[in-house]
Amino acid sequence: MNARITQATLLDESNEHHGNQVDIRIENGIITEIASSLDPKNGEEQLQFENLIVSAGWFDSSVSIGEPGYEERETILNGLKVAAKSGFTSIAVNPNTLPVTDTNAAVSFLKNKAAGNAVALYPIGALTRNAEGTDLAELYDMQQAGAVAFGDYQHSISNPNLIKIALQYAQGFDGLVLSFPQENDLIIKGVANEGETAIKLGLKGIPALSEHIQVARDLYILEYTGGKLHIPTISTAQSVALIKEAKAKGLDVTCSVAIANLFYTEEVLEDFDTRYKVLPPLRTETDRQALIAAIKEGTIDMVTSDHNPLDIELKKLEFDHAKFGTIAQEATLGALLTLVSEERAVKLLTAGSERFTGTTSKIKIGQPANLSLFTANGTSVFGKEDIRSKSKNSAFLGAQLKGKVYGIFANNQFIAS
């Protein structure tokens, strides 16, 4: 595809035009020219949008897709379409499928089904067989098939020796180990943050302590073994402090935060709306402010949508019985821009690529165009018409958001939002 992106503010610190308004010419999917103004060529499509910003393509480090096994929640093809229309050019897909993504064949299925799409799909393999937390899965075989990391989605590993062995073994092929930050024995049947709100509503609590103990344990093990550790979706001020200390020691650890935990607190649970039942749970305002400070200073490396499509039968239940999870990709940019600048937002939405795939996308002449197109101007209220997922379980319905995604250019394709 040949295209000319016009009057775009370029955000890429590796590019000499960073922060300036430019035109970008793309020929057969390759960036061929970047200049303050470019004359049109025959046969090329002009891409022009109001107050346009162009950045390197965004990477979402935690996305759930139902296929295989739960296609009623989301299919691979529609999930990739949702990602594209939400501004993401790459997604890391969790292994919570049926069967669980814990073999070479399961990883290959995902890669083959997604081939040729504008959005690149990177499978996360389960760390343990069937995500049961008992025996390590076939990590190396999955890595050979294309898995970029290994973790049991929203299932913590109770056995510390498993994490120890995983970190040691994965070093042989530079594998990234994920460990969900929750000590199961401390939560029992908890459904909301343990505190005044949960007590007032009569809901069983998930104490912040359950996260702190698990994070501290895993960091101690990492210090002992070496290796690469990623802690997904932290939610508390103390977790931020623990990870900041570990980074100061030089440990190879990164972490993410889900956009819902940055945007909401436990106070929205007062109507028992299960759209806000997420894991880790929405915490206190003190925790939320600590998370916001951490994404601004860099202690938290990346923001994820933690997009988890669930059908109505799993969410329209009593709060205790509803499943954890929200769809959030469609609202991620708009929610994040209410908290940070567009430059910071881009860093948080692109950082996952290097950590998970070992590659970084740069806006550079001679390189394939891998671009996210958006504006930071304007506000809107997120409504049902903004949901692109098959499932509709969005915590962001009615939220006041900022900016807008225009689309992506990736794999020689332009997908408009």
Side-chain angles (χ1 to χ4, degrees):
M1 178 181 180
N2 296 337
R4 182 171 53 98
I5 302 173
T6 60
Q7 297 180 324
T9 300
L10 190 152
L11 291 186
D12 182 349
E13 291 184 348
S14 69
N15 192 291
E16 61 179 326
H17 298 287
H18 173 67
N20 297 327
Q21 191 173 93
V22 297
D23 289 359
I24 303 171
R25 176 164 282 125
I26 301 166
E27 297 179 292
N28 297 317
I30 305 297
I31 298 172
T32 58
E33 292 181 83
I34 302 174
S36 57
S37 180
L38 293 172
D39 294 330
K41 285 187 176 181
N42 290 334
E44 69 180 8
E45 182 177 347
Q46 182 179 4
L47 302 177
Q48 184 172 7
F49 302 95
E50 188 175 358
N51 298 308
L52 173 62
I53 298 173
V54 172
S55 74
W58 307 339
F59 182 97
D60 196 342
S61 62
S62 178
V63 179
S64 296
I65 292 179
E67 189 177 0
Y70 304 112
E71 286 85 354
E72 73 278 5
R73 302 179 189 175
E74 189 61 278
T75 62
I76 291 171
L77 294 182
N78 194 66
L80 295 174
K81 185 190 299 183
V82 173
K85 291 179 177 294
S86 303
F88 295 92
T89 62
S90 306
I91 58 174
V93 174
N94 295 313
N96 55 332
T97 50
L98 185 67
V100 169
T101 307
D102 62 356
T103 63
N104 179 300
V107 171
S108 296
F109 170 81
L110 294 174
K111 294 289 290 184
N112 292 336
K113 193 66 182 283
N117 279 272
V119 175
L121 185 155
Y122 293 96
I124 297 173
L127 186 66
T128 65
R129 292 179 185 173
N130 204 34
E132 292 176 344
T134 303
D135 301 301
L136 280 187
E138 302 168 1
L139 307 189
Y140 180 69
D141 281 353
M142 288 191 285
Q143 191 259 0
Q144 291 297 293
V148 295
F150 309 95
D152 295 349
Y153 179 66
Q154 292 191 345
H155 290 283
S156 58
I157 304 299
S158 297
N159 183 351
N161 193 48
L162 263 181
I163 291 292
K164 171 179 168 286
I165 293 171
L167 285 166
Q168 291 173 326
Y169 176 61
Q171 289 178 58
F173 51 91
D174 198 33
L176 178 64
V177 173
L178 277 58
S179 182
F180 185 65
Q182 179 176 280
E183 169 50 62
N184 290 331
D185 290 337
L186 281 171
I187 69 165
I188 312 300
K189 295 182 179 180
V191 294
N193 181 53
E194 184 176 84
E196 290 184 12
T197 298
I199 292 171
K200 181 171 64 175
L201 299 176
L203 298 174
K204 296 181 179 68
I206 299 177
L209 178 65
S210 67
E211 182 169 307
H212 306 156
I213 285 179
Q214 194 81 354
V215 170
R217 184 204 74 173
D218 290 345
L219 291 173
Y220 274 122
I221 293 172
L222 177 66
E223 188 171 10
Y224 177 80
T225 61
K228 293 166 61 176
L229 177 67
H230 177 73
I231 302 175
T233 60
I234 65 171
S235 66
T236 71
Q238 183 61 23
S239 292
V240 170
L242 288 167
I243 292 167
K244 187 173 185 177
E245 181 182 1
K247 287 185 172 186
K249 290 180 180 179
L251 301 187
D252 192 352
V253 60
T254 53
C255 65
S256 66
V257 61
I259 188 65
N261 292 89
L262 285 172
F263 199 75
Y264 293 112
T265 70
E266 60 185 354
E267 293 180 6
V268 298
L269 301 181
E270 298 209 345
D271 291 329
F272 297 96
D273 191 333
T274 60
R275 292 182 300 117
Y276 302 114
K277 185 179 180 182
V278 294
L279 196 68
L282 302 176
R283 302 288 188 181
T284 66
E285 179 63 13
T286 298
D287 289 315
R288 190 179 81 92
Q289 289 300 328
L291 295 171
I292 293 170
I295 63 172
K296 290 180 177 179
E297 71 176 16
T299 299
I300 293 177
D301 302 272
M302 62 198 79
V303 171
T304 175
S305 68
D306 201 24
H307 187 76
N308 191 1
L310 298 168
D311 55 72
I312 193 169
E313 287 82 4
L314 297 172
K315 292 298 280 187
K316 200 169 184 180
L317 300 167
E318 292 180 1
F319 201 91
D320 282 346
H321 300 297
K323 191 172 176 67
F324 291 102
T326 179
I327 58 171
Q329 269 195 333
E330 301 97 324
T332 296
L333 173 74
L336 187 56
L337 286 177
T338 67
L339 305 172
V340 298
S341 69
E342 53 264 39
E343 287 193 39
R344 190 65 200 161
V346 166
K347 288 183 179 180
L348 292 163
L349 293 174
T350 56
S353 181
E354 183 173 8
R355 184 59 166 172
F356 279 73
T357 73
T359 62
T360 55
S361 177
K362 296 181 179 179
I363 304 176
K364 186 177 180 182
I365 292 174
Q367 295 294 314
N370 189 288
L371 309 171
S372 296
L373 287 69
F374 69 103
T375 180
N377 287 20
T379 59
S380 62
V381 175
F382 190 82
K384 290 182 179 179
E385 67 279 3
D386 298 307
I387 294 177
R388 308 300 176 88
S389 308
K390 285 185 68 176
S391 296
K392 309 303 176 186
N393 55 307
S394 176
F396 290 89
L397 285 172
Q400 185 89 11
L401 306 181
K402 184 181 178 185
K404 179 183 179 181
V405 172
Y406 288 130
I408 65 167
F409 196 110
N411 197 20
N412 200 19
Q413 300 169 57
F414 174 67
I415 308 295
S417 181

